[in-house]
């Protein structure tokens, strides 16, 4: 029985090759990174910025490209990978294609924890990543608890509604906290809308250890997660432990989402769009999906950041606004699908 199910799963996955998709998305990612260095974040003509990439250019152009645009691009790269992989893990363990960190309260929990920390005296510039990760951990626990409630976890729409209710509650509490403290409001006003503007490499370096640990956990649980997608009985039959697996997923998602939120603020829909596109290209096998989330996540985040610089130039739109504009149609397309996809 189990061998038959696995064989069908392998045949379905084999129809869609991973390598061509990785090559295409890797090429697109390279193009998006170059565009990110050429446009926005400083008044330098494109020709001058291009000259800097070739090892020439003026001192002003070199400063803007290397000190402003390059760190911003690298942070967008890390945030895109973190949110894309976190979304894929959360959807796999909840077996729900709508289980997105931004929709289900994980990012809102992280933002709420940061707001509380700032209210208690911390500075957004010196805020420890651990605070955001603890908030994300609480959000993850809620998602899994809701997913295991009878009648809620089996219905993707009801799970999203439960997550939206939690997100709204946490956002309302965050706004309420900020009303009590003008300093906290000034510290967090721009951050809470989501942005990678004004961040430097020290912000990225501070989250690299957490991302590395999350990456190792993800590599460890990818194969058991693929078995869990076939059902708990199949996973147990293959020698895996679903309870232990869920705990590891919660830790990995908390590290990923908490790190991304700490350096870029809460960005919704990235964790929904990225796995959705990856599955459309290579199928539902979580191992293939995770590989493809690595280039697609940064493409979405860096591409949105480029648009945020250009749409209302010379000012910039919050990155969170652009990710919402991109992600909302995808959510509607999934919800309006004749048959709700399952994982």
């Amino acid at each position: 029985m189990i061998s038959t199910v696995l064989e069908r799963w392998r045949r379905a996955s084999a129809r869609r090759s991973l390598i061509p998709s990785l090559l295409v998305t890797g090429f697109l990612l390279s193009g998006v990174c170059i565009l990110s260095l050429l446009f926005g974040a400083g008044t330098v003509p494109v020709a001058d910025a291009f000259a800097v990439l070739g090892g020439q250019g003026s001192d002003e152009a070199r400063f803007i490209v290397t000190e402003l645009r390059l760190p911003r691009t690298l942070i967008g790269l890390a945030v895109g990978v973190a949110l894309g992989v976190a979304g894929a893990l959360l959807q796999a363990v909840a077996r729900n294609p709508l289980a997105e960190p931004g929709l289900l309260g994980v990012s809102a929990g992280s933002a709420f924890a940061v707001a509380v920390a700032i209210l208690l005296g911390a500075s957004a510039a010196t805020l420890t990543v651990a605070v955001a990760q603890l908030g994300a951990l609480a959000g993850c626990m809620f998602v899994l608890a809701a997913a295991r409630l009878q009648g809620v976890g089996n219905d993707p729409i009801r799970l999203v509604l439960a997550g939206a209710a939690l997100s709204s509650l946490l956002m309302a509490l965050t706004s309420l906290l900020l009303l009590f403290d003008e300093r906290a409001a000034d510290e967090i006003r721009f951050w809470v809308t989501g942005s990678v503007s004004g961040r430097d490499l020290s912000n990225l370096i501070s989250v690299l250890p957490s991302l590395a640990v999350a990456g190792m956990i993800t590599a460890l649980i990818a194969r058991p997660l693929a078995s869990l997608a076939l059902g708990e009985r199949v996973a147990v039959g293959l020698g895996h432990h679903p309870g232990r697996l869920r705990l590891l997923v919660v830790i990995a998602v908390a590290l990923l989402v908490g790190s991304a939120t700490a350096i870029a603020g809460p960005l919704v829909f990235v964790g929904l769009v990225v796995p959705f596109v990856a599955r459309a290209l290579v199928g539902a096998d979580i191992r293939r999906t995770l590989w493809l989330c690595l280039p697609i996540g940064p493409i979405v985040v860096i591409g949105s950041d480029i648009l945020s610089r250009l749409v209302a130039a010379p000012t910039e739109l919050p990155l969170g606004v652009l990710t919402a504009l991109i992600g909302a149609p995808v959510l509607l397309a999934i919800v309006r699908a004749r048959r709700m996809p399952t994982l």
Side-chain angles (χ1 to χ4, degrees), residues 10 52 58 80 94 111 169 208 340:
R10 291 193 189 97
V52 172
S58 64
L169 175 63
L208 285 181
M340 179 66 68

Side-chain angles (χ1 to χ4, degrees), residues 92-104:
V93 75
R95 303 185 67 185
N96 188 324
L98 300 181
E100 197 266 336
L103 282 179
L104 299 185

Side-chain angles (χ1 to χ4, degrees), residues 19-340:
I19 301 301
S21 298
L22 275 177
L23 291 175
V24 171
T25 53
F27 177 77
L28 291 175
L29 176 59
S30 301
V32 168
C33 288
I34 293 174
L35 290 176
S36 178
L37 297 175
L38 295 180
F39 293 97
T43 55
V44 172
V46 175
D48 290 352
F50 199 80
V52 172
L53 297 184
Q56 301 177 357
S58 64
D59 291 339
E60 180 187 5
R62 190 176 298 108
F63 172 80
I64 289 177
V65 171
T66 59
E67 299 297 328
L68 297 181
R69 297 179 183 176
L70 180 60
R72 187 168 176 165
T73 303
L74 293 176
I75 288 174
L77 193 71
V79 170
V81 168
L83 293 180
V85 171
L89 290 175
L90 205 53
Q91 291 172 13
V93 75
R95 303 185 67 185
N96 188 324
L98 300 181
E100 197 266 336
L103 282 179
L104 299 185
V106 181
S107 298
S110 184
F112 177 70
V114 171
V116 171
I118 291 178
L119 186 68
L120 294 177
S123 167
T126 59
L127 199 63
T128 59
V129 178
V131 174
Q133 290 171 341
L134 285 175
L137 182 63
C140 285
M141 299 302 292
F142 168 80
V143 173
L144 288 189
R148 295 181 70 80
L149 287 177
Q150 186 66 30
V152 175
N154 296 330
D155 186 340
I157 303 299
R158 292 182 67 185
L159 181 61
V160 169
L161 290 176
L166 176 67
S167 294
S168 299
L169 175 63
L170 291 173
M171 291 172 64
L173 290 175
T174 301
S175 300
L176 191 61
L177 288 176
L178 298 182
L179 286 177
F180 290 124
D181 192 322
E182 187 174 344
R183 183 194 69 86
D186 291 337
E187 286 271 356
I188 206 172
R189 183 179 294 116
F190 190 69
W191 174 85
V192 81
T193 59
S195 176
V196 293
S197 174
R199 274 58 169 181
D200 55 35
L201 288 180
S202 64
N203 299 118
L204 177 61
I205 293 172
S206 67
V207 302
L208 285 181
S210 298
L211 296 180
V213 172
M216 288 188 287
I217 294 175
T218 302
L220 182 68
I221 63 178
R223 186 179 181 86
L225 266 181
S227 302
L228 187 63
L230 303 175
E232 285 201 19
R233 294 179 62 184
V234 175
V236 172
L238 292 173
H240 303 302
H241 303 277
R244 193 181 304 167
L245 184 58
R246 290 191 183 91
L247 177 61
L248 290 174
V249 169
V250 165
I251 294 172
V253 171
L255 291 173
L256 291 168
V257 176
S259 300
T261 305
I263 58 176
L267 298 177
V268 296
F269 290 123
V270 177
L272 173 73
V273 172
V274 174
F276 178 76
V277 175
R279 282 195 298 272
L281 292 174
V282 295
D285 190 328
I286 183 64
R287 293 164 293 186
R288 291 167 173 262
T289 302
L290 287 171
W291 273 112
L292 213 52
C293 286
L294 299 180
I296 295 177
I299 289 174
V300 172
V301 173
I302 297 175
S304 300
D305 185 45
I306 295 172
L307 289 177
S308 74
R309 308 173 202 172
L310 300 179
V311 169
T315 61
E316 295 185 8
L317 291 177
L319 176 58
V321 174
L322 269 297
T323 60
L325 289 175
I326 294 173
V330 176
L331 174 62
L332 291 175
I334 298 175
V335 172
R336 285 177 59 84
R338 181 172 299 179
R339 180 176 179 272
M340 179 66 68

